[in-house]
Amino acid sequence: MTLGVALNPLDPANQIDASVRLAKEAAAAGLRSAWFGQTFGADSPLLAAIVGREVPELQVGTSAVPVFGRHPLTVSSQAQTAQAATHGRYHLGLALGTKLLTEGGFGIPFTRPVARLREFLTALRQLTDTGSADFHGELLTATTPIPARVPGAEAGVPLLVAAMGPQALRASGELADGILPYLAGPRALADHIVPAVTAAAEAAGRPAPRIVALVHGLVTDDVDAVRATVTERLAFYEQIPSYARVIELSGGRRAADVAVIGDEKAVAEEVRRYRDAGATEVIFSGTETAGDADRRRTWQLLGELAG
């Protein structure tokens, strides 16, 4: 099972420089991958390309680029460029996004998200696999009057989706290479998420999907204080129906209830529970929450487990 971390430097003078520095530290700790979120700030595929080129020991990925407000042609260009820059170590994560950020940020209606995801994945797969597309859907059109291949990215780009709901899992199993569930505990993975996406992949004649579980976690001795901070920081997700549902399926009431916080023994046991629940990869996020000492302690444990 691959272990990695999401990099989120706090208050850096330069986010790119700080991300490269942290990635080098992660690689030295024995971690296998570094992942980057996408909001309205840094361009995550470009950031992943830079970091992956600077730190060749790591796989790099984005988790995750929303499909609303973007087009398969431009996302394909970004992903293929990152893949060529990293010589095959880039993984593209996509997301449905949220109504709040889609309508509030882009000013476009958040309608038929799963239908858009299906069309986006279909067109994007054509582009990343062949460098061309001739797709005409209800919501999207993607054609290539001139070639769209990026030399160096001929092997294609792994496509992952931050899917957790039944319809999104079905679409991901049929059309993507795996999923990136976040705040989904071992119970939700084992009982609901992994069986659904695996069945969809099998029905479509596709290989078993990758299950890249994003876990908000930290090794610390100050469990109560850290959990209080995490409770406040993750409260936003409790307002989003898909996250609220998966938190409940995981046996939690608050988002922080599915965070992994404790000493080395406790965190290692939780990582094993994710593996036993079907996760093929575990990515820890939020490791910066309590400062550098606990972050390094967390990374050291994850590196040991990865080894």
Side-chain angles (χ1 to χ4, degrees), residues 85-108:
T86 60
H87 295 273
R89 289 178 288 110
Y90 174 69
H91 308 259
L92 173 62
L94 298 169
L96 297 176
T98 67
K99 180 180 178 69
L100 175 65
L101 295 181
T102 299
E103 298 186 350
F106 291 106
I108 56 179

mmCIF file with all atom_site columns, all heavy atoms in Angstrom, residues 85-108:
data_model
loop_
_atom_site.group_PDB
_atom_site.id
_atom_site.type_symbol
_atom_site.label_atom_id
_atom_site.label_alt_id
_atom_site.label_comp_id
_atom_site.label_asym_id
_atom_site.label_entity_id
_atom_site.label_seq_id
_atom_site.pdbx_PDB_ins_code
_atom_site.Cartn_x
_atom_site.Cartn_y
_atom_site.Cartn_z
_atom_site.occupancy
_atom_site.B_iso_or_equiv
_atom_site.pdbx_formal_charge
_atom_site.auth_seq_id
_atom_site.auth_comp_id
_atom_site.auth_asym_id
_atom_site.auth_atom_id
_atom_site.pdbx_PDB_model_num
ATOM 1   N N   . ALA A 1 85  ? 6.443   16.463 -17.867 1.00 0.00 ? 85  ALA A N   1
ATOM 2   C CA  . ALA A 1 85  ? 7.431   17.090 -16.991 1.00 0.00 ? 85  ALA A CA  1
ATOM 3   C C   . ALA A 1 85  ? 7.957   16.123 -15.941 1.00 0.00 ? 85  ALA A C   1
ATOM 4   O O   . ALA A 1 85  ? 9.127   16.193 -15.543 1.00 0.00 ? 85  ALA A O   1
ATOM 5   C CB  . ALA A 1 85  ? 6.824   18.314 -16.309 1.00 0.00 ? 85  ALA A CB  1
ATOM 6   N N   . THR A 1 86  ? 7.095   15.208 -15.488 1.00 0.00 ? 86  THR A N   1
ATOM 7   C CA  . THR A 1 86  ? 7.468   14.280 -14.421 1.00 0.00 ? 86  THR A CA  1
ATOM 8   C C   . THR A 1 86  ? 7.850   12.902 -14.947 1.00 0.00 ? 86  THR A C   1
ATOM 9   O O   . THR A 1 86  ? 8.089   11.989 -14.156 1.00 0.00 ? 86  THR A O   1
ATOM 10  C CB  . THR A 1 86  ? 6.312   14.128 -13.415 1.00 0.00 ? 86  THR A CB  1
ATOM 11  O OG1 . THR A 1 86  ? 5.158   13.614 -14.093 1.00 0.00 ? 86  THR A OG1 1
ATOM 12  C CG2 . THR A 1 86  ? 5.969   15.468 -12.772 1.00 0.00 ? 86  THR A CG2 1
ATOM 13  N N   . HIS A 1 87  ? 7.860   12.735 -16.260 1.00 0.00 ? 87  HIS A N   1
ATOM 14  C CA  . HIS A 1 87  ? 8.210   11.456 -16.884 1.00 0.00 ? 87  HIS A CA  1
ATOM 15  C C   . HIS A 1 87  ? 7.346   10.310 -16.371 1.00 0.00 ? 87  HIS A C   1
ATOM 16  O O   . HIS A 1 87  ? 7.832   9.234  -16.006 1.00 0.00 ? 87  HIS A O   1
ATOM 17  C CB  . HIS A 1 87  ? 9.697   11.155 -16.682 1.00 0.00 ? 87  HIS A CB  1
ATOM 18  C CG  . HIS A 1 87  ? 10.604  12.125 -17.382 1.00 0.00 ? 87  HIS A CG  1
ATOM 19  N ND1 . HIS A 1 87  ? 11.004  11.976 -18.697 1.00 0.00 ? 87  HIS A ND1 1
ATOM 20  C CD2 . HIS A 1 87  ? 11.139  13.296 -16.958 1.00 0.00 ? 87  HIS A CD2 1
ATOM 21  C CE1 . HIS A 1 87  ? 11.768  12.996 -19.054 1.00 0.00 ? 87  HIS A CE1 1
ATOM 22  N NE2 . HIS A 1 87  ? 11.860  13.823 -18.010 1.00 0.00 ? 87  HIS A NE2 1
ATOM 23  N N   . GLY A 1 88  ? 6.031   10.572 -16.313 1.00 0.00 ? 88  GLY A N   1
ATOM 24  C CA  . GLY A 1 88  ? 5.082   9.509  -16.016 1.00 0.00 ? 88  GLY A CA  1
ATOM 25  C C   . GLY A 1 88  ? 4.708   9.353  -14.560 1.00 0.00 ? 88  GLY A C   1
ATOM 26  O O   . GLY A 1 88  ? 4.131   8.326  -14.188 1.00 0.00 ? 88  GLY A O   1
ATOM 27  N N   . ARG A 1 89  ? 4.971   10.360 -13.734 1.00 0.00 ? 89  ARG A N   1
ATOM 28  C CA  . ARG A 1 89  ? 4.679   10.228 -12.303 1.00 0.00 ? 89  ARG A CA  1
ATOM 29  C C   . ARG A 1 89  ? 3.528   11.111 -11.849 1.00 0.00 ? 89  ARG A C   1
ATOM 30  O O   . ARG A 1 89  ? 3.330   11.317 -10.649 1.00 0.00 ? 89  ARG A O   1
ATOM 31  C CB  . ARG A 1 89  ? 5.938   10.578 -11.483 1.00 0.00 ? 89  ARG A CB  1
ATOM 32  C CG  . ARG A 1 89  ? 7.033   9.523  -11.595 1.00 0.00 ? 89  ARG A CG  1
ATOM 33  C CD  . ARG A 1 89  ? 8.291   9.904  -10.832 1.00 0.00 ? 89  ARG A CD  1
ATOM 34  N NE  . ARG A 1 89  ? 9.001   10.987 -11.502 1.00 0.00 ? 89  ARG A NE  1
ATOM 35  C CZ  . ARG A 1 89  ? 9.106   12.229 -11.043 1.00 0.00 ? 89  ARG A CZ  1
ATOM 36  N NH1 . ARG A 1 89  ? 8.550   12.573 -9.891  1.00 0.00 ? 89  ARG A NH1 1
ATOM 37  N NH2 . ARG A 1 89  ? 9.789   13.133 -11.720 1.00 0.00 ? 89  ARG A NH2 1
ATOM 38  N N   . TYR A 1 90  ? 2.718   11.593 -12.784 1.00 0.00 ? 90  TYR A N   1
ATOM 39  C CA  . TYR A 1 90  ? 1.619   12.496 -12.438 1.00 0.00 ? 90  TYR A CA  1
ATOM 40  C C   . TYR A 1 90  ? 0.278   11.769 -12.472 1.00 0.00 ? 90  TYR A C   1
ATOM 41  O O   . TYR A 1 90  ? 0.021   10.954 -13.361 1.00 0.00 ? 90  TYR A O   1
ATOM 42  C CB  . TYR A 1 90  ? 1.576   13.676 -13.410 1.00 0.00 ? 90  TYR A CB  1
ATOM 43  C CG  . TYR A 1 90  ? 0.383   14.577 -13.200 1.00 0.00 ? 90  TYR A CG  1
ATOM 44  C CD1 . TYR A 1 90  ? 0.274   15.359 -12.056 1.00 0.00 ? 90  TYR A CD1 1
ATOM 45  C CD2 . TYR A 1 90  ? -0.655  14.627 -14.128 1.00 0.00 ? 90  TYR A CD2 1
ATOM 46  C CE1 . TYR A 1 90  ? -0.831  16.172 -11.839 1.00 0.00 ? 90  TYR A CE1 1
ATOM 47  C CE2 . TYR A 1 90  ? -1.762  15.437 -13.925 1.00 0.00 ? 90  TYR A CE2 1
ATOM 48  C CZ  . TYR A 1 90  ? -1.843  16.202 -12.784 1.00 0.00 ? 90  TYR A CZ  1
ATOM 49  O OH  . TYR A 1 90  ? -2.942  16.997 -12.570 1.00 0.00 ? 90  TYR A OH  1
ATOM 50  N N   . HIS A 1 91  ? -0.595  12.101 -11.504 1.00 0.00 ? 91  HIS A N   1
ATOM 51  C CA  . HIS A 1 91  ? -1.925  11.502 -11.391 1.00 0.00 ? 91  HIS A CA  1
ATOM 52  C C   . HIS A 1 91  ? -2.952  12.627 -11.276 1.00 0.00 ? 91  HIS A C   1
ATOM 53  O O   . HIS A 1 91  ? -2.851  13.467 -10.377 1.00 0.00 ? 91  HIS A O   1
ATOM 54  C CB  . HIS A 1 91  ? -1.997  10.598 -10.158 1.00 0.00 ? 91  HIS A CB  1
ATOM 55  C CG  . HIS A 1 91  ? -0.883  9.583  -10.111 1.00 0.00 ? 91  HIS A CG  1
ATOM 56  N ND1 . HIS A 1 91  ? -1.062  8.264  -10.465 1.00 0.00 ? 91  HIS A ND1 1
ATOM 57  C CD2 . HIS A 1 91  ? 0.421   9.705  -9.773  1.00 0.00 ? 91  HIS A CD2 1
ATOM 58  C CE1 . HIS A 1 91  ? 0.081   7.626  -10.345 1.00 0.00 ? 91  HIS A CE1 1
ATOM 59  N NE2 . HIS A 1 91  ? 1.003   8.473  -9.925  1.00 0.00 ? 91  HIS A NE2 1
ATOM 60  N N   . LEU A 1 92  ? -3.912  12.633 -12.168 1.00 0.00 ? 92  LEU A N   1
ATOM 61  C CA  . LEU A 1 92  ? -4.908  13.700 -12.202 1.00 0.00 ? 92  LEU A CA  1
ATOM 62  C C   . LEU A 1 92  ? -6.145  13.311 -11.402 1.00 0.00 ? 92  LEU A C   1
ATOM 63  O O   . LEU A 1 92  ? -6.824  12.339 -11.726 1.00 0.00 ? 92  LEU A O   1
ATOM 64  C CB  . LEU A 1 92  ? -5.312  14.012 -13.645 1.00 0.00 ? 92  LEU A CB  1
ATOM 65  C CG  . LEU A 1 92  ? -6.478  14.992 -13.820 1.00 0.00 ? 92  LEU A CG  1
ATOM 66  C CD1 . LEU A 1 92  ? -6.142  16.365 -13.236 1.00 0.00 ? 92  LEU A CD1 1
ATOM 67  C CD2 . LEU A 1 92  ? -6.857  15.118 -15.296 1.00 0.00 ? 92  LEU A CD2 1
ATOM 68  N N   . GLY A 1 93  ? -6.436  14.073 -10.363 1.00 0.00 ? 93  GLY A N   1
ATOM 69  C CA  . GLY A 1 93  ? -7.656  13.897 -9.603  1.00 0.00 ? 93  GLY A CA  1
ATOM 70  C C   . GLY A 1 93  ? -8.686  14.932 -10.007 1.00 0.00 ? 93  GLY A C   1
ATOM 71  O O   . GLY A 1 93  ? -8.369  16.122 -10.120 1.00 0.00 ? 93  GLY A O   1
ATOM 72  N N   . LEU A 1 94  ? -9.914  14.493 -10.230 1.00 0.00 ? 94  LEU A N   1
ATOM 73  C CA  . LEU A 1 94  ? -11.020 15.364 -10.601 1.00 0.00 ? 94  LEU A CA  1
ATOM 74  C C   . LEU A 1 94  ? -12.092 15.316 -9.524  1.00 0.00 ? 94  LEU A C   1
ATOM 75  O O   . LEU A 1 94  ? -12.181 14.351 -8.765  1.00 0.00 ? 94  LEU A O   1
ATOM 76  C CB  . LEU A 1 94  ? -11.623 14.934 -11.936 1.00 0.00 ? 94  LEU A CB  1
ATOM 77  C CG  . LEU A 1 94  ? -10.707 14.977 -13.159 1.00 0.00 ? 94  LEU A CG  1
ATOM 78  C CD1 . LEU A 1 94  ? -11.369 14.267 -14.333 1.00 0.00 ? 94  LEU A CD1 1
ATOM 79  C CD2 . LEU A 1 94  ? -10.351 16.411 -13.521 1.00 0.00 ? 94  LEU A CD2 1
ATOM 80  N N   . ALA A 1 95  ? -12.916 16.360 -9.476  1.00 0.00 ? 95  ALA A N   1
ATOM 81  C CA  . ALA A 1 95  ? -13.979 16.416 -8.482  1.00 0.00 ? 95  ALA A CA  1
ATOM 82  C C   . ALA A 1 95  ? -15.222 17.044 -9.081  1.00 0.00 ? 95  ALA A C   1
ATOM 83  O O   . ALA A 1 95  ? -15.149 17.810 -10.047 1.00 0.00 ? 95  ALA A O   1
ATOM 84  C CB  . ALA A 1 95  ? -13.526 17.230 -7.264  1.00 0.00 ? 95  ALA A CB  1
ATOM 85  N N   . LEU A 1 96  ? -16.363 16.712 -8.494  1.00 0.00 ? 96  LEU A N   1
ATOM 86  C CA  . LEU A 1 96  ? -17.600 17.394 -8.880  1.00 0.00 ? 96  LEU A CA  1
ATOM 87  C C   . LEU A 1 96  ? -17.588 18.841 -8.412  1.00 0.00 ? 96  LEU A C   1
ATOM 88  O O   . LEU A 1 96  ? -18.176 19.712 -9.055  1.00 0.00 ? 96  LEU A O   1
ATOM 89  C CB  . LEU A 1 96  ? -18.809 16.677 -8.258  1.00 0.00 ? 96  LEU A CB  1
ATOM 90  C CG  . LEU A 1 96  ? -19.059 15.239 -8.709  1.00 0.00 ? 96  LEU A CG  1
ATOM 91  C CD1 . LEU A 1 96  ? -20.229 14.661 -7.930  1.00 0.00 ? 96  LEU A CD1 1
ATOM 92  C CD2 . LEU A 1 96  ? -19.329 15.187 -10.195 1.00 0.00 ? 96  LEU A CD2 1
ATOM 93  N N   . GLY A 1 97  ? -16.912 19.115 -7.304  1.00 0.00 ? 97  GLY A N   1
ATOM 94  C CA  . GLY A 1 97  ? -16.973 20.440 -6.712  1.00 0.00 ? 97  GLY A CA  1
ATOM 95  C C   . GLY A 1 97  ? -18.212 20.583 -5.841  1.00 0.00 ? 97  GLY A C   1
ATOM 96  O O   . GLY A 1 97  ? -18.904 19.601 -5.539  1.00 0.00 ? 97  GLY A O   1
ATOM 97  N N   . THR A 1 98  ? -18.509 21.799 -5.435  1.00 0.00 ? 98  THR A N   1
ATOM 98  C CA  . THR A 1 98  ? -19.659 22.057 -4.584  1.00 0.00 ? 98  THR A CA  1
ATOM 99  C C   . THR A 1 98  ? -20.517 23.174 -5.165  1.00 0.00 ? 98  THR A C   1
ATOM 100 O O   . THR A 1 98  ? -20.029 24.017 -5.916  1.00 0.00 ? 98  THR A O   1
ATOM 101 C CB  . THR A 1 98  ? -19.224 22.470 -3.171  1.00 0.00 ? 98  THR A CB  1
ATOM 102 O OG1 . THR A 1 98  ? -18.580 23.754 -3.233  1.00 0.00 ? 98  THR A OG1 1
ATOM 103 C CG2 . THR A 1 98  ? -18.256 21.462 -2.567  1.00 0.00 ? 98  THR A CG2 1
ATOM 104 N N   . LYS A 1 99  ? -21.774 23.162 -4.792  1.00 0.00 ? 99  LYS A N   1
ATOM 105 C CA  . LYS A 1 99  ? -22.696 24.204 -5.240  1.00 0.00 ? 99  LYS A CA  1
ATOM 106 C C   . LYS A 1 99  ? -22.225 25.582 -4.778  1.00 0.00 ? 99  LYS A C   1
ATOM 107 O O   . LYS A 1 99  ? -22.244 26.554 -5.545  1.00 0.00 ? 99  LYS A O   1
ATOM 108 C CB  . LYS A 1 99  ? -24.095 23.908 -4.698  1.00 0.00 ? 99  LYS A CB  1
ATOM 109 C CG  . LYS A 1 99  ? -25.169 24.923 -5.089  1.00 0.00 ? 99  LYS A CG  1
ATOM 110 C CD  . LYS A 1 99  ? -26.512 24.518 -4.481  1.00 0.00 ? 99  LYS A CD  1
ATOM 111 C CE  . LYS A 1 99  ? -27.607 25.527 -4.796  1.00 0.00 ? 99  LYS A CE  1
ATOM 112 N NZ  . LYS A 1 99  ? -27.971 25.519 -6.224  1.00 0.00 ? 99  LYS A NZ  1
ATOM 113 N N   . LEU A 1 100 ? -21.776 25.661 -3.524  1.00 0.00 ? 100 LEU A N   1
ATOM 114 C CA  . LEU A 1 100 ? -21.350 26.939 -2.960  1.00 0.00 ? 100 LEU A CA  1
ATOM 115 C C   . LEU A 1 100 ? -20.219 27.563 -3.763  1.00 0.00 ? 100 LEU A C   1
ATOM 116 O O   . LEU A 1 100 ? -20.290 28.736 -4.161  1.00 0.00 ? 100 LEU A O   1
ATOM 117 C CB  . LEU A 1 100 ? -20.922 26.737 -1.503  1.00 0.00 ? 100 LEU A CB  1
ATOM 118 C CG  . LEU A 1 100 ? -20.335 27.960 -0.790  1.00 0.00 ? 100 LEU A CG  1
ATOM 119 C CD1 . LEU A 1 100 ? -21.378 29.048 -0.660  1.00 0.00 ? 100 LEU A CD1 1
ATOM 120 C CD2 . LEU A 1 100 ? -19.788 27.567 0.586   1.00 0.00 ? 100 LEU A CD2 1
ATOM 121 N N   . LEU A 1 101 ? -19.160 26.804 -4.023  1.00 0.00 ? 101 LEU A N   1
ATOM 122 C CA  . LEU A 1 101 ? -18.005 27.366 -4.713  1.00 0.00 ? 101 LEU A CA  1
ATOM 123 C C   . LEU A 1 101 ? -18.248 27.513 -6.211  1.00 0.00 ? 101 LEU A C   1
ATOM 124 O O   . LEU A 1 101 ? -17.744 28.446 -6.837  1.00 0.00 ? 101 LEU A O   1
ATOM 125 C CB  . LEU A 1 101 ? -16.775 26.489 -4.456  1.00 0.00 ? 101 LEU A CB  1
ATOM 126 C CG  . LEU A 1 101 ? -16.297 26.432 -3.001  1.00 0.00 ? 101 LEU A CG  1
ATOM 127 C CD1 . LEU A 1 101 ? -15.064 25.557 -2.881  1.00 0.00 ? 101 LEU A CD1 1
ATOM 128 C CD2 . LEU A 1 101 ? -16.015 27.824 -2.465  1.00 0.00 ? 101 LEU A CD2 1
ATOM 129 N N   . THR A 1 102 ? -19.016 26.599 -6.794  1.00 0.00 ? 102 THR A N   1
ATOM 130 C CA  . THR A 1 102 ? -19.292 26.687 -8.229  1.00 0.00 ? 102 THR A CA  1
ATOM 131 C C   . THR A 1 102 ? -20.137 27.911 -8.550  1.00 0.00 ? 102 THR A C   1
ATOM 132 O O   . THR A 1 102 ? -19.793 28.721 -9.427  1.00 0.00 ? 102 THR A O   1
ATOM 133 C CB  . THR A 1 102 ? -20.009 25.412 -8.720  1.00 0.00 ? 102 THR A CB  1
ATOM 134 O OG1 . THR A 1 102 ? -19.154 24.289 -8.498  1.00 0.00 ? 102 THR A OG1 1
ATOM 135 C CG2 . THR A 1 102 ? -20.337 25.514 -10.207 1.00 0.00 ? 102 THR A CG2 1
ATOM 136 N N   . GLU A 1 103 ? -21.240 28.055 -7.859  1.00 0.00 ? 103 GLU A N   1
ATOM 137 C CA  . GLU A 1 103 ? -22.140 29.173 -8.154  1.00 0.00 ? 103 GLU A CA  1
ATOM 138 C C   . GLU A 1 103 ? -21.608 30.484 -7.587  1.00 0.00 ? 103 GLU A C   1
ATOM 139 O O   . GLU A 1 103 ? -21.727 31.537 -8.214  1.00 0.00 ? 103 GLU A O   1
ATOM 140 C CB  . GLU A 1 103 ? -23.536 28.861 -7.629  1.00 0.00 ? 103 GLU A CB  1
ATOM 141 C CG  . GLU A 1 103 ? -24.148 27.634 -8.308  1.00 0.00 ? 103 GLU A CG  1
ATOM 142 C CD  . GLU A 1 103 ? -25.597 27.388 -7.915  1.00 0.00 ? 103 GLU A CD  1
ATOM 143 O OE1 . GLU A 1 103 ? -26.088 28.049 -6.970  1.00 0.00 ? 103 GLU A OE1 1
ATOM 144 O OE2 . GLU A 1 103 ? -26.227 26.518 -8.551  1.00 0.00 ? 103 GLU A OE2 1
ATOM 145 N N   . GLY A 1 104 ? -20.991 30.423 -6.401  1.00 0.00 ? 104 GLY A N   1
ATOM 146 C CA  . GLY A 1 104 ? -20.467 31.640 -5.809  1.00 0.00 ? 104 GLY A CA  1
ATOM 147 C C   . GLY A 1 104 ? -19.210 32.140 -6.488  1.00 0.00 ? 104 GLY A C   1
ATOM 148 O O   . GLY A 1 104 ? -18.994 33.352 -6.596  1.00 0.00 ? 104 GLY A O   1
ATOM 149 N N   . GLY A 1 105 ? -18.364 31.221 -6.952  1.00 0.00 ? 105 GLY A N   1
ATOM 150 C CA  . GLY A 1 105 ? -17.104 31.609 -7.572  1.00 0.00 ? 105 GLY A CA  1
ATOM 151 C C   . GLY A 1 105 ? -17.197 31.823 -9.065  1.00 0.00 ? 105 GLY A C   1
ATOM 152 O O   . GLY A 1 105 ? -16.784 32.862 -9.585  1.00 0.00 ? 105 GLY A O   1
ATOM 153 N N   . PHE A 1 106 ? -17.756 30.838 -9.773  1.00 0.00 ? 106 PHE A N   1
ATOM 154 C CA  . PHE A 1 106 ? -17.805 30.908 -11.242 1.00 0.00 ? 106 PHE A CA  1
ATOM 155 C C   . PHE A 1 106 ? -19.074 31.569 -11.771 1.00 0.00 ? 106 PHE A C   1
ATOM 156 O O   . PHE A 1 106 ? -19.131 31.953 -12.937 1.00 0.00 ? 106 PHE A O   1
ATOM 157 C CB  . PHE A 1 106 ? -17.682 29.504 -11.841 1.00 0.00 ? 106 PHE A CB  1
ATOM 158 C CG  . PHE A 1 106 ? -16.332 28.882 -11.667 1.00 0.00 ? 106 PHE A CG  1
ATOM 159 C CD1 . PHE A 1 106 ? -16.134 27.859 -10.750 1.00 0.00 ? 106 PHE A CD1 1
ATOM 160 C CD2 . PHE A 1 106 ? -15.245 29.314 -12.406 1.00 0.00 ? 106 PHE A CD2 1
ATOM 161 C CE1 . PHE A 1 106 ? -14.890 27.281 -10.578 1.00 0.00 ? 106 PHE A CE1 1
ATOM 162 C CE2 . PHE A 1 106 ? -13.989 28.737 -12.249 1.00 0.00 ? 106 PHE A CE2 1
ATOM 163 C CZ  . PHE A 1 106 ? -13.809 27.722 -11.325 1.00 0.00 ? 106 PHE A CZ  1
ATOM 164 N N   . GLY A 1 107 ? -20.093 31.640 -10.922 1.00 0.00 ? 107 GLY A N   1
ATOM 165 C CA  . GLY A 1 107 ? -21.345 32.227 -11.378 1.00 0.00 ? 107 GLY A CA  1
ATOM 166 C C   . GLY A 1 107 ? -22.078 31.374 -12.386 1.00 0.00 ? 107 GLY A C   1
ATOM 167 O O   . GLY A 1 107 ? -22.820 31.876 -13.223 1.00 0.00 ? 107 GLY A O   1
ATOM 168 N N   . ILE A 1 108 ? -21.867 30.042 -12.301 1.00 0.00 ? 108 ILE A N   1
ATOM 169 C CA  . ILE A 1 108 ? -22.559 29.128 -13.206 1.00 0.00 ? 108 ILE A CA  1
ATOM 170 C C   . ILE A 1 108 ? -23.369 28.145 -12.359 1.00 0.00 ? 108 ILE A C   1
ATOM 171 O O   . ILE A 1 108 ? -22.995 27.822 -11.234 1.00 0.00 ? 108 ILE A O   1
ATOM 172 C CB  . ILE A 1 108 ? -21.574 28.368 -14.124 1.00 0.00 ? 108 ILE A CB  1
ATOM 173 C CG1 . ILE A 1 108 ? -20.520 27.611 -13.294 1.00 0.00 ? 108 ILE A CG1 1
ATOM 174 C CG2 . ILE A 1 108 ? -20.896 29.326 -15.085 1.00 0.00 ? 108 ILE A CG2 1
ATOM 175 C CD1 . ILE A 1 108 ? -19.540 26.817 -14.140 1.00 0.00 ? 108 ILE A CD1 1
#
